Amino acid sequence: MNIPKMRRAEDHDLPVLQKIRVAAFTPVFASFRKMLGDSLYELVQAREDEAQSELLASFLASESPWELFIAEVAGEVAGFVAFRLNQETRVGEIGLNAVHPDYAGRGIGTAMYEFALSRMKAGGMRAATVATGGDESHAPARRAYRKAGFTKQIPSVWMYREL
């Protein structure tokens, strides 16, 4: 396992983070399209998937409640993780995150989540949450979350139909 160096993301990192996001999520979006079909995908999911780019960029804004960190391996950006600490509820949340497919299976995701969890604990959080898909394209994320200790879950199903 390559233990990544974690550092706070900066504005100049955004282009490489977007490349990682696209590489990691292209199979997910293709899975969504396959499950829904082209017509329904365009109606209910495409805009949300396209908005992910803006979401990632928003984490770098000074007023964002999210912290965005980069995982580097041998000086190369291998992934990123966004998380936030809710001081009112004492619940930390892992948000958008990705590991470049070239680094998949090397423990980078697990290391990122352990880093985020340690920051949450140091920040006084009492619990942590993360959301992910139940489809096959999200199986690697679910494995990494379980490896990081996320063992409790509430199953959820999104259902769709055209009108």
Side-chain angles (χ1 to χ4, degrees):
M1 175 172 121
N2 295 314
I3 297 181
K5 173 187 169 198
M6 300 298 296
R7 69 169 175 86
R8 190 173 295 275
E10 299 176 14
D11 289 341
H12 68 85
D13 293 312
L14 188 57
V16 72
L17 298 182
Q18 293 289 14
K19 286 180 183 175
I20 291 170
R21 180 191 62 77
V22 168
F25 280 92
T26 294
V28 172
F29 299 155
S31 173
F32 291 169
R33 183 179 289 277
K34 183 177 178 182
M35 286 186 283
L36 296 174
D38 290 339
S39 178
L40 196 53
Y41 175 84
E42 289 300 327
L43 289 168
V44 300
Q45 190 65 40
R47 282 183 294 282
E48 193 170 318
D49 294 350
E50 292 163 4
Q52 193 185 66
S53 172
E54 293 174 19
L55 175 64
L56 178 56
S58 77
F59 295 153
L60 291 167
S62 60
E63 68 276 5
S64 174
W66 294 90
E67 296 184 41
L68 181 60
F69 278 80
I70 286 174
E72 289 183 336
V73 175
E76 296 291 320
V77 178
F80 65 86
V81 60
F83 57 90
R84 63 181 171 182
L85 313 181
N86 186 320
Q87 296 299 333
E88 184 179 324
T89 65
R90 295 288 192 218
V91 176
E93 177 184 359
I94 294 177
L96 183 63
N97 66 88
V99 172
H100 193 284
D102 290 348
Y103 290 91
R106 299 186 195 180
I108 306 300
T110 301
M112 292 187 325
Y113 309 139
E114 289 174 353
F115 173 82
L117 293 167
S118 71
R119 298 276 298 203
M120 290 176 190
K121 192 170 185 177
M125 300 298 103
R126 304 276 316 248
T129 184
V130 64
T132 190
D135 63 305
E136 189 57 33
S137 72
H138 282 91
R142 290 192 306 275
R143 281 192 299 275
Y145 297 143
R146 286 185 190 110
K147 192 174 176 185
F150 288 91
T151 59
K152 303 293 183 184
Q153 63 185 35
I154 298 172
S156 179
V157 176
W158 287 77
M159 299 177 76
Y160 302 89
R161 66 163 283 183
E162 284 191 55
L163 302 176

